[in-house]
Amino acid sequence: CFRWEMMEIFRHDATCYAGPMVRGSPNPRHVGIASRLSKARRQAEMTRTGLEQKVGGTKGAILYIESGKRLPTIATVVRLAAALAVSPAWLAFGIGDMASAGQPTLTEGMGKRLASAREERELTKAALARMVGLSPSTVADIENGAQTGVEVIAGLALVLRINPAWLAFGEGPQVLPSPRRGRPPAQSPADAR
């Protein structure tokens, strides 16, 4: 079902991607972004229109994200997090504290971090792309600095067994600790082979 979700990522406008929720298995970390954005916006006492104006988004983009109809790009998450004074890692993936550390977060270095993690696991771009359901050129584009959606980063992080916040923003440890005691970490598609 994750591959089907990845096939939907290219139906997008300039700031968002469309993608369904995964059913029958644990949902990826980015799935809660709609409720986290709504919570942060309400706590900041901002209207959707006010937030759109502050981040320079298209009309209705916040409504689409909050209703779960669209997923933002990583660059859009950074702009939203800055406008709401929240951590982009928390907003995108529910990792860490809600409050921002006060330092501006950028996506610079995301491509280098992806290439490094891929090479550590001795994967080619084509092999990683197959595992995530992307084209090799998409992986190459991200490694060369192109932006992508939160669900793509979540998928890459899952396959590479790394922290999606570290991959996207350089925040936190490269590898997340196991979330539950007594349970093994989630199995990646590579392990299923």
Side-chain angles (χ1 to χ4, degrees):
C1 56
F2 189 75
R3 283 183 183 260
W4 184 80
E5 178 182 347
M6 285 294 141
M7 292 176 4
E8 295 292 314
I9 64 172
F10 295 106
R11 287 190 339 189
H12 66 280
D13 64 21
T15 60
C16 299
Y17 289 85
M21 190 179 298
V22 177
R23 305 221 186 272
S25 64
N27 283 314
R29 290 184 173 275
H30 70 276
V31 171
I33 194 169
S35 62
R36 289 188 296 271
L37 176 59
S38 179
K39 176 181 178 178
R41 182 182 56 77
R42 285 191 314 271
Q43 284 187 355
E45 298 179 352
M46 295 184 87
T47 64
R48 290 182 181 122
T49 304
L51 181 56
E52 287 169 355
Q53 290 172 348
K54 192 168 183 176
V55 299
T58 58
K59 185 172 180 165
I62 303 302
L63 174 62
Y64 280 119
I65 296 169
E66 285 185 359
S67 64
K69 293 179 181 176
R70 297 277 183 197
L71 293 171
T73 63
I74 294 297
T76 299
V77 168
V78 169
R79 289 194 313 272
L80 289 169
L84 296 168
V86 298
S87 161
W90 174 83
L91 183 59
F93 306 109
I95 296 172
D97 294 330
M98 179 181 180
S100 173
Q103 302 167 337
T105 300
L106 304 173
T107 59
E108 290 179 23
M110 181 172 64
K112 289 180 182 176
R113 287 187 295 274
L114 176 59
S116 170
R118 177 183 57 76
E119 290 166 0
E120 282 176 18
R121 282 142 187 90
E122 299 179 356
L123 292 170
T124 64
K125 292 174 191 167
L128 177 59
R130 271 191 309 276
M131 294 167 75
V132 181
L134 299 171
S135 70
S137 63
T138 300
V139 172
D141 289 346
I142 296 167
E143 287 186 3
N144 289 325
Q147 287 296 311
T148 192
V150 293
E151 73 284 4
V152 173
I153 293 300
L156 289 165
L158 177 67
V159 167
L160 293 169
R161 294 182 172 175
I162 58 176
N163 177 351
W166 174 83
L167 179 57
F169 313 113
E171 291 185 8
Q174 182 176 357
V175 178
L176 285 174
S178 181
R180 296 185 183 152
R181 290 175 284 187
R183 287 183 72 169
Q187 189 179 37
S188 73
D191 296 333
R193 291 181 183 189

